[in-house]
């Protein structure tokens, strides 16, 4: 047995001595022999001591251990457990206490995980987030907000929003959200780094369970890409209208002149009708190009790939461009490596080559040279259209694939161009998983390189 005569047992010891003294007195009247009396008292002491120690070990000690564990739990240490193996009601109590401690500990872990998930979510959301209380103090700003407005969280948290945020629209959003107690949406521009960004801000009121306003959460979205798309769409509509207006004005004008008497003059009649015919053809070309582009840009647009023999393809497009080249006295030469086949949409690839060759012929002066060469480069086919024409100024090169972009508007129009040819070419090449690039020098000429994969990447 372990030495357990520690401090808490002192009162029990004292009682033991008292009891023994009383027993000694009682026995002294019955037992004459002094030595027998002492022996009885010693045996009694030992028996009582054993009983006392047993009581302490079985009841007192577990209760003390349990109480210590409860103290730990009260302090918030939910990992504390009672390890004492006690039986009976105390054992049962300890088991229940351990279950309670385990539940509390799981609850704490869950709470921590949820808290972490929430803060990860808030920090990684792609919108800026600010939490303002009903007095206007900022309680939380997330990482995205800091990338938008700069600084650290402690530059904002704990301060009044109007003291640390200079933006008037943000002030207005907070004030109106508090005033109207409903979601408010505004937008503003903000310089982030060197870029001007369009930000949409939504203020949402926060209510407590008694429906009393407790603050507002401000969400800020970067809507620059949407603004750019909107701008592009507006530009596109303006461009299309402008492109259509020119031929229509001219058709109406000449038709009116004819109607007002010019039809009686055979020379004017012929000249004006030719103009009307040319302008209608231009409009037709423009509309066809617009329809092609809109078809290519549709999400569900898919090409139909077949095995295309390049030599045969070139034979089919030559008659279309030969005549134009001849009219300008341009020498058109072609070179195609033997037996090249690719898996592609034949009609679309023809369109690419016709557009590139038409450009080469259009932007090359009389008696120039245009060459089409198709070479086998293993898994890719290299189509090269070169000319010794007017070339493209360096700063215009990145823009020539934009819709309606032309280096020289008048020259393009005179050659029947719509400004959409290269935009269409680029689209077609991209849907074939290929790429296009240009080398050009003003007054020397241009080379357009197209690289197309020979095999359908989706199948190989
Ligand atoms: N081979 C070329 N040589 C010089 N400039 C070219 C050539 N190909 C294209 N360009 C320039 O790129 C512009 C855009 O071409 P494109 O989209 O085909 O429109 P379009 O030919 O109808 O004007 C042309 O207006 C022209 O300025
Ligand atoms: Mg063109």
């Amino acid at each position: 047995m372990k030495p357990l005569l520690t401090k808490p047992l002192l009162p029990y010891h004292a009682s033991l001595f008292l009891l023994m003294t009383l027993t000694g007195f009682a026995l002294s009247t019955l037992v004459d022999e002094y030595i027998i009396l002492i022996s009885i008292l010693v045996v009694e002491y030992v028996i009582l001591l054993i009983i006392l120690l047993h009581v302490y070990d079985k009841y007192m000690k577990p209760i003390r251990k349990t109480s210590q564990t409860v103290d730990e739990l009260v302090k918030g240490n939910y990992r504390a457990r009672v390890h004492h193996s006690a039986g009976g009601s105390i054992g049962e109590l300890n088991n229940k206490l351990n279950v309670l401690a385990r539940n509390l500990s799981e609850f704490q872990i869950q709470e921590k995980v949820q808290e972490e998930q929430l803060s990860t979510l808030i920090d990684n959301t792609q919108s800026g987030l600010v939490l303002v209380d009903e007095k206007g103090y900022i309680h939380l700003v997330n990482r995205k907000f800091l990338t938008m407005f700069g600084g650290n969280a402690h530059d904002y948290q704990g301060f009044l929003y109007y003291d640390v945020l200079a933006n008037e629209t943000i002030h207005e959003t907070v004030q109106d959200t508090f005033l109207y107690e409903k979601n408010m949406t505004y937008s503003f521009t903000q310089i982030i780094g060197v870029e001007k960004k369009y930000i949409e801000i939504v203020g949402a009121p926060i209510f407590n369970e008694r429906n009393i306003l407790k603050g507002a959460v401000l969400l800020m979205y970067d809507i620059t890409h949407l603004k750019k798309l909107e701008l592009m769409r507006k530009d596109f509509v303006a461009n299309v209208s402008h492109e259509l207006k020119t031929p229509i004005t001219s058709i109406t004008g000449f038709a009116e002149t004819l109607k007002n008497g010019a039809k009686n003059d055979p020379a004017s009649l012929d000249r004006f009708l030719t103009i009307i015919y040319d302008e209608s053809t231009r409009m037709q070309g423009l509309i066809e190009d617009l329809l092609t582009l809109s078809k290519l840009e549709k999400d569900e647009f898919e090409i139909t790939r077949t095995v295309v023999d390049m030599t045969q393809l070139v034979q089919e497009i030559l008659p279309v461009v030969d005549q134009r080249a001849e009219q300008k006295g341009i020498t058109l030469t072609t070179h195609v490596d033997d037996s090249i086949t690719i898996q592609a949409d034949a009609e679309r690839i023809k369109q690419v080559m016709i557009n590139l060759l038409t450009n080469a012929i259009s932007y090359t002066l009389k008696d120039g040279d245009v060459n089409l060469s198709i070479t086998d480069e293993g898994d890719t086919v290299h189509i090269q259209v070169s000319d010794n024409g007017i070339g493209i100024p360096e700063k215009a090169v990145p823009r020539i694939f934009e819709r309606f972009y032309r280096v020289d508007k008048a020259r393009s129009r005179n050659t029947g161009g719509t400004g959409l040819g290269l935009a269409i070419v680029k689209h077609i090449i991209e849907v074939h998983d290929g790429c296009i690039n240009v080398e050009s020098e003003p007054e020397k000429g241009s080379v357009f390189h197209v690289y197309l994969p020979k095999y359908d990447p989706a199948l190989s």
Side-chain angles (χ1 to χ4, degrees), residues 236-295:
F236 183 66
V237 172
N239 273 326
V240 171
S241 317
H242 180 77
E243 293 294 331
L244 285 172
K245 202 175 155 225
T246 320
I248 285 176
T249 313
S250 133
I251 291 171
T252 325
F254 286 110
E256 200 176 1
T257 320
L258 285 176
K259 218 175 104 203
N260 289 344
K263 63 177 183 287
N264 302 323
D265 170 24
S268 302
L269 180 64
D270 189 53
R271 198 158 63 85
F272 293 172
L273 279 178
T274 310
I275 296 172
I276 291 175
Y277 176 79
D278 287 349
E279 293 296 321
S280 332
T281 317
R282 182 202 307 285
M283 245 166 54
Q284 198 181 353
L286 178 67
I287 287 164
E288 268 166 22
D289 278 358
L290 281 171
L291 287 174
T292 309
L293 252 187
S294 98
K295 213 190 244 175

Side-chain angles (χ1 to χ4, degrees), residues 289 354-356 358-360 362-363 406 412 415-422 425:
D289 278 358
I354 291 172
N355 278 359
L356 292 178
T358 314
N359 277 350
S362 300
Y363 304 110
R406 292 124 154 173
S412 159
T415 59
T418 60
L420 295 173
L422 287 179
V425 164

Side-chain angles (χ1 to χ4, degrees), residues 423-448:
I424 293 174
V425 164
K426 192 155 193 264
H427 260 291
I428 296 176
I429 291 164
E430 276 169 5
V431 290
H432 277 88
D433 300 295
C435 64
I436 180 163
N437 57 55
V438 194
E439 287 172 82
S440 187
E441 206 178 317
E443 285 160 42
K444 290 263 166 64
S446 318
V447 188
F448 283 76

Side-chain angles (χ1 to χ4, degrees), residues 58-59 62-63 66 82 84-98:
K58 197 160 163 60
Y59 300 103
I63 288 175
T66 310
V82 194
H84 200 274
S85 57
S89 330
I90 294 183
E92 205 177 309
L93 177 69
N94 286 349
N95 286 342
K96 285 182 181 166
L97 191 68
N98 282 348

Side-chain angles (χ1 to χ4, degrees), residues 363-375:
Y363 304 110
T364 296
L365 303 177
K366 266 189 178 324
D367 308 321
D369 297 307
V370 170
N371 176 263
L372 165 70
S373 115
I374 302 180
T375 44

Side-chain angles (χ1 to χ4, degrees), residues 76-79 103-121:
N77 174 15
Y78 299 140
R79 271 176 301 170
N103 287 348
L104 282 172
S105 158
E106 267 169 28
F107 183 66
Q108 190 188 33
I109 291 169
Q110 268 176 14
E111 206 178 26
K112 211 168 175 186
V113 168
Q114 274 177 3
E115 205 176 287
E116 272 167 16
Q117 279 174 344
L118 191 66
S119 75
T120 314
L121 186 77

